[in-house]
Amino acid sequence: MPFGPHTALTELKASEEAAAVLERHLPGILDMPDFTLLPFIPLGAVLGHNPPLGETPAAMDALWQDLAALPSDPPLRMVQPAPPLPVPDYDSPEALRASATITEVSDTEQWGVSEVVLQGPDHGNPFIDVELDAVFRHAEAPEARVGGFYDGAGIYRIRFQPPHPGRWTFETRSNASSLDGLTGSLQVSAPSAGNRGPVHVADTYHFAYQDGTPYLPLGTTAYAWTHQSPQLQAATLRTLEEAPFTKIRMCVFPKSYFFNTDEPPLFPYVRNDDGTFDFTQFDVAFFKHLDHSVEQLARIGVEADVILFHCYDRWGFSAMPAWADDLFVKYVVRRLAAHRNVWWSLANEYDFLPHKTEQDWERIAQVIGQEDHAGHLTSIHNGVTFYDHTRPWITHCSIQRVDTYRTAENTTQWRETYGKPIVIDEVGYEGDIDLGWGNLSARELVRRCWEGAVRGGYVNHGETYYNDDEILWWSKGGTLHGESAERIGFLARITAEVPSGRIEALPSSWDVVCGGDEDHRIIYFGNSCPAFRWLQLLPGTQWEIDIIDTWNMTVETQPGVVAGRTKVTLPGREYMAVRLRRVKSATNG
């Protein structure tokens, strides 16, 4: 394939001819920190977000033409020989079937985590040589096939999220004869207080826990919080416990980006003597820490939106061969799928990963579907180009801003196009850094959250205030410094006061947006500053009126009830909303 916008920075810099073309058209570009911090990101993504000042379209066309005219080079993907597939005779001929030891079977509650722990063989490389799963059976529920994983030192684990209380039995299956045919049982109790089960899509555009309780995805982002010091991770958890957020976007792989250049303490893979990584050998310490982090989030009621791949990478994890991608996904899903607070995001900005095609993403989605016995929510997040969110494996739309201003306003259109929940995970961040996505005012972020919410969608939080230690919440976590989080919590309170527990999009006027339900309506004015508003109410109905100041977080109930054509007095400032609550009576229902 010829050089072009899709070509990764590392491939361009590795080619003398391509580097010369870049330097001729854009002097000094090879000294950008992007080439060190983001070697696997495509050139088009870098220039698309930060076009050279003064460059005309014709000049950029000339750059692409000169690059395309160069001799093509194969992409610099990480290449390792394909690992051997599991073989039927992993164990020695004298190994007896089912001779391994079951050291633990943990009882649990419905939607909890039950773990079967086995002590078994450790010769060769069990990460790739051994295949292990178990079939769980219950008298009143469909059987479940659950994959196991190797956890080092001859330890194998099978984690199961039981969807039904009562007695479950299991039987293992393996190409290692000593691990094959082991049987046992576990007892599952009714869910305890606070255990509402995993989150799923409800009523087309919304979410609920498994017990039917509405779930409001008040999300935030701290991509690399699990890759920080123990002290900083503890601070992140304390902040989350006090904040209103119910979901956090987080990466499995470490992240390399501006304000995030530290070397992480742990990596997913064992390192070779030459400093490269062995994609067939997982570092179990890394994954045990990931397990623990997800468990900590569950204890404070926060869903872990687990991002499997991203392009912000200087180690080569974004350019692994396909077999390594699949092995990684299989291992992560088998370790985490039993946790009820897990969501899967195939990628952050999938279209910025130049070494993956649509066929790769579809294959990865298939691996998740095969290995996730609990059927968690699954999405894929865009940089510029939307994935086809109508794909059946995509449960909800995870969306990044599409314009410097207008994004939340598109919620209505996206609901109609995709027929799925709209979660705008990146609408821009409250902060003050030099990058345009990271310097929204708190007022503007809150406005976008309300705009999307009243349209029946979900707009999430992020914060990027600069400090000398470069501990920005959006990447490393830590402590929040902005003003939006508390006000997003106020939006959650207003949402919870809708009888259904969610805001549904309602017919709106050309200049304001309306949501709620037929008996509980919210009219949001955003940046408008009306001193009054005339409302035409349905004949034969009476309503109570609240004036909501979404920034100052106040609700003022107006005296009496209103009917017919009504004038509502407003304070003439931004970020106001009117709430109409229908008065029930014997005559009007």
Side-chain angles (χ1 to χ4, degrees):
M1 183 179 291
F3 290 106
H6 61 279
T7 308
L9 300 184
T10 187
E11 296 167 16
L12 292 160
K13 199 166 185 177
S15 165
E16 292 184 7
E17 295 87 351
V21 169
L22 282 176
E23 189 63 27
R24 185 169 71 252
H25 283 270
L26 301 170
I29 190 173
L30 297 176
D31 297 325
M32 287 178 63
D34 305 57
F35 280 84
T36 300
L37 293 177
L38 311 172
F40 294 97
I41 197 171
L43 177 64
V46 174
L47 298 183
H49 276 69
N50 301 285
L53 293 177
E55 285 292 335
T56 64
M60 294 305 295
D61 287 344
L63 166 64
W64 301 130
Q65 290 171 8
D66 286 354
L67 284 174
L70 297 175
S72 300
D73 287 330
L76 290 177
R77 286 192 72 145
M78 293 293 184
V79 177
Q80 292 189 4
L85 297 174
V87 293
D89 55 352
Y90 169 76
D91 272 336
S92 60
E94 62 270 16
L96 298 177
R97 183 174 183 266
S99 59
T101 304
I102 298 178
T103 61
E104 180 184 348
V105 179
S106 55
D107 293 337
T108 189
E109 59 187 312
Q110 184 178 4
W111 306 313
V113 179
S114 176
E115 188 168 78
V116 179
V117 184
L118 306 99
Q119 183 73 48
D122 63 355
H123 59 274
N125 181 0
F127 289 114
I128 59 172
D129 292 339
V130 176
E131 182 54 56
L132 170 68
D133 67 13
V135 177
F136 288 79
R137 296 182 175 91
H138 186 285
E140 300 177 12
E143 69 178 32
R145 175 245 173 212
V146 183
F149 60 91
Y150 184 59
D151 207 24
I155 300 297
Y156 297 80
R157 301 181 190 273
I158 303 169
R159 291 178 179 159
F160 173 48
Q161 182 193 117
H164 199 283
R167 182 176 181 267
W168 288 80
T169 62
F170 65 85
E171 181 177 4
T172 65
R173 304 182 300 191
S174 179
N175 65 314
S177 58
S178 60
L179 293 169
D180 187 54
L182 293 159
T183 60
S185 65
L186 60 135
Q187 193 64 34
V188 178
S189 62
S192 59
N195 175 2
R196 294 165 292 188
V199 175
H200 65 277
V201 172
D203 299 325
T204 307
Y205 302 110
H206 304 286
F207 300 93
Y209 293 100
Q210 199 65 39
D211 70 353
T213 304
Y215 167 78
L216 183 63
L218 291 179
T220 189
T221 293
Y223 288 121
W225 79 272
T226 62
H227 303 281
Q228 310 307 313
S229 68
Q231 295 79 10
L232 189 53
Q233 291 180 60
T236 302
L237 289 166
R238 287 194 300 270
T239 299
L240 288 171
E241 193 166 14
E242 296 169 0
F245 306 124
T246 62
K247 179 173 81 76
I248 186 169
R249 300 177 69 230
M250 52 185 278
C251 298
V252 178
F253 284 121
K255 183 178 180 183
S256 175
Y257 196 52
F258 308 117
F259 318 116
N260 191 25
T261 59
D262 303 338
E263 195 74 358
L266 294 170
F267 288 96
Y269 299 101
V270 173
R271 250 184 169 146
N272 298 312
D273 292 339
D274 63 359
T276 61
F277 292 95
D278 181 351
F279 298 144
T280 72
Q281 292 273 0
F282 295 110
D283 186 333
V284 296
F286 174 94
F287 286 98
K288 287 179 179 179
H289 175 65
L290 179 63
D291 296 341
H292 182 59
S293 299
V294 170
E295 291 165 0
Q296 289 176 303
L297 292 173
R299 283 196 287 270
I300 60 175
V302 175
E303 303 287 304
D305 197 348
V306 177
I307 299 168
L308 296 171
F309 295 98
H310 63 82
C311 64
Y312 302 105
D313 164 43
R314 63 177 182 268
W315 304 280
F317 305 129
S318 63
M320 297 189 301
W323 65 259
D325 288 344
D326 292 357
L327 189 66
F328 166 76
V329 172
K330 178 180 175 181
Y331 193 73
V332 172
V333 173
R334 289 187 173 194
R335 288 196 77 112
L336 296 183
H339 296 286
R340 62 179 175 270
N341 67 318
V342 164
W343 301 22
W344 306 120
S345 175
L346 270 66
N348 181 64
E349 298 172 337
Y350 83 93
D351 47 324
F352 292 172
L353 286 121
H355 302 294
K356 288 182 174 58
T357 65
E358 181 178 339
Q359 289 72 30
D360 290 319
W361 296 120
E362 291 296 315
R363 190 193 69 255
I364 290 167
Q366 187 176 27
V367 173
I368 294 173
Q370 291 169 345
E371 299 298 339
D372 181 7
H373 70 276
H376 290 288
L377 294 166
T378 304
S379 68
I380 186 167
H381 173 266
N382 65 288
V384 175
T385 305
F386 276 24
Y387 205 86
D388 178 8
H389 293 300
T390 64
R391 297 295 301 166
W393 56 266
I394 298 177
T395 57
H396 63 284
C397 304
S398 173
I399 292 174
Q400 178 169 197
R401 64 188 292 181
V402 297
D403 182 79
T404 54
Y405 180 83
R406 181 182 172 88
T407 294
E409 291 79 2
N410 294 333
T411 300
T412 305
Q413 172 191 335
W414 291 330
R415 278 169 47 112
E416 294 171 355
T417 299
Y418 299 113
K420 294 179 180 180
I422 304 301
V423 182
I424 304 176
D425 281 308
E426 283 191 67
V427 77
Y429 300 139
E430 176 189 357
D432 60 5
I433 61 174
D434 64 324
L435 300 164
W437 47 261
N439 49 36
L440 294 181
S441 70
R443 284 175 168 80
E444 176 58 16
L445 178 56
V446 173
R447 185 201 70 78
R448 295 181 185 197
C449 290
W450 271 85
E451 182 77 32
V454 178
R455 292 177 181 272
Y458 303 96
V459 179
N460 288 178
H461 165 273
E463 184 184 288
T464 48
Y465 283 108
Y466 181 76
N467 55 75
D468 290 339
D469 293 328
E470 295 195 348
I471 299 175
L472 282 65
W473 172 264
W474 128 97
S475 187
K476 296 180 180 178
T479 303
L480 290 169
H481 303 281
E483 299 178 280
S484 63
E486 182 182 8
R487 289 161 175 86
I488 293 170
F490 177 72
L491 169 58
R493 177 195 132 187
I494 297 299
T495 302
E497 291 173 357
V498 179
S500 64
R502 58 176 66 107
I503 298 174
E504 186 54 78
L506 296 174
S508 301
S509 303
W510 70 274
D511 58 341
V512 292
V513 62
C514 181
D517 64 29
E518 63 178 13
D519 296 326
H520 190 108
R521 303 187 175 196
I522 299 168
I523 303 170
Y524 181 59
F525 295 97
N527 287 331
S528 300
C529 302
F532 62 92
R533 181 78 177 193
W534 283 98
L535 301 176
Q536 185 66 51
L537 305 177
L538 293 172
T541 63
Q542 294 183 320
W543 304 79
E544 292 180 315
I545 293 182
D546 300 317
I547 307 300
I548 301 175
D549 186 324
T550 67
W551 179 254
N552 292 310
M553 298 179 288
T554 59
V555 179
E556 297 181 9
T557 300
Q558 304 303 291
V561 298
V562 298
R565 183 163 173 78
T566 299
K567 183 179 181 181
V568 179
T569 301
L570 294 163
R573 61 175 180 265
E574 296 173 311
Y575 317 126
M576 302 302 297
V578 169
R579 181 169 63 183
L580 301 170
R581 291 177 288 113
R582 186 172 178 177
V583 177
K584 300 289 187 176
S585 69
T587 57
N588 67 16

